[in-house]
Amino acid sequence: MRMIRIRKRNRDRNKPARRGLTSAVRWNDGLSDVSIAGDPLAFPHLARTDLPGHPTTVAGYARLVREIAADRSRWEPLVRYDALTRWYARLETGPGYEVWLLSWLPGQSSGFHDHGESSGVMTVVRGELIERSLTHAGEGARTLRPGGQRVFSSGYLHEVVNGALEPAVSIHLYTPGLTEMNQYGAATAVPEQHAHAAESETH
């Protein structure tokens, strides 16, 4: 199956959701929120690498996501649901990474997309999600449940959807901080730049 990129969007995040706030930022543009991306110049801390106490490896990023997922008191009070679009809030930023909390009502989907130059780690903390991925080997699908993690490199192309009857919540880390997402429509093969994007699953 080839994927044709149909939209590339950079979003301005002048009003990011912050830990402790009780309301969420919504994009009222009538489109799926395929991008929670913004202007990297607005977040200069994302470019810093000299701050101690932050992860700098894939293993470190995966460990941070596990720690955040295990600390329900940190993210559970922030969860909101939006009937029109996926809801999200930034949980944490550090030198070269950021962590997001997302909620998914039944039927809500990300659409097929990549994350630009960013790699990432994601985990489900409530409910379950279905991930469909496309690589040179073809299309794959898996159910994501609490306790597992997905780790992917830049160029990884996938779609995440809540195909269950109950809401779901997930945590996503992007490194470097997410500044671009490209949405794709289905055609007949995978774009060359996505053919060898790495992905793995940990438990």
Side-chain angles (χ1 to χ4, degrees):
M1 174 180 283
R2 187 179 63 173
M3 304 300 292
I4 298 175
R5 187 169 71 185
I6 58 176
R7 186 161 72 247
K8 176 177 179 179
R9 299 174 60 205
N10 291 323
R11 297 305 303 257
D12 179 75
R13 292 183 297 193
N14 291 328
K15 297 181 180 180
R18 300 179 185 276
R19 188 174 10 158
L21 293 183
T22 58
S23 61
V25 175
R26 296 185 183 181
W27 307 127
N28 294 316
D29 56 7
L31 301 173
S32 171
D33 60 335
V34 297
S35 176
I36 53 177
D39 180 0
L41 298 180
F43 300 95
H45 60 277
L46 295 178
R48 295 188 62 184
T49 58
D50 60 334
L51 299 178
H54 293 279
T56 57
T57 65
V58 172
Y61 294 132
R63 182 174 60 251
L64 175 60
V65 169
R66 284 195 300 271
E67 291 172 352
I68 293 174
D71 186 2
R72 300 185 71 89
S73 64
R74 179 172 180 181
W75 56 263
E76 204 163 37
L78 303 178
V79 174
R80 303 289 183 273
Y81 296 101
D82 189 321
L84 299 179
T85 183
R86 293 176 301 153
W87 173 92
Y88 41 81
R90 189 185 294 109
L91 286 175
E92 180 174 321
T93 60
Y97 72 90
E98 58 185 0
V99 183
W100 288 85
L101 178 71
L102 278 76
S103 74
W104 313 70
L105 288 174
Q108 289 183 337
S109 169
S110 66
F112 274 104
H113 66 282
D114 64 28
H115 307 96
E117 296 301 315
S118 298
S119 301
V121 179
M122 70 169 288
T123 188
V124 173
V125 292
R126 180 186 296 171
E128 63 181 44
L129 297 170
I130 297 171
E131 182 198 35
R132 301 185 182 99
S133 58
L134 288 174
T135 69
H136 66 287
E139 182 174 350
R142 59 183 55 80
T143 299
L144 309 178
R145 298 182 177 91
Q149 284 187 323
R150 301 288 295 138
V151 179
F152 53 88
S153 66
S154 59
Y156 181 55
L157 198 160
H158 70 160
E159 175 187 38
V160 180
V161 60
N162 183 356
L165 298 178
E166 300 294 331
V169 179
S170 55
I171 293 173
H172 304 242
L173 180 147
Y174 300 102
T175 178
L178 193 64
T179 59
E180 144 185 353
M181 291 178 69
N182 302 304
Q183 188 179 23
Y184 295 81
T188 57
V190 179
E192 183 62 29
Q193 69 268 30
H194 296 283
H196 303 290
E199 51 86 13
S200 63
E201 186 168 10
T202 62
H203 294 276

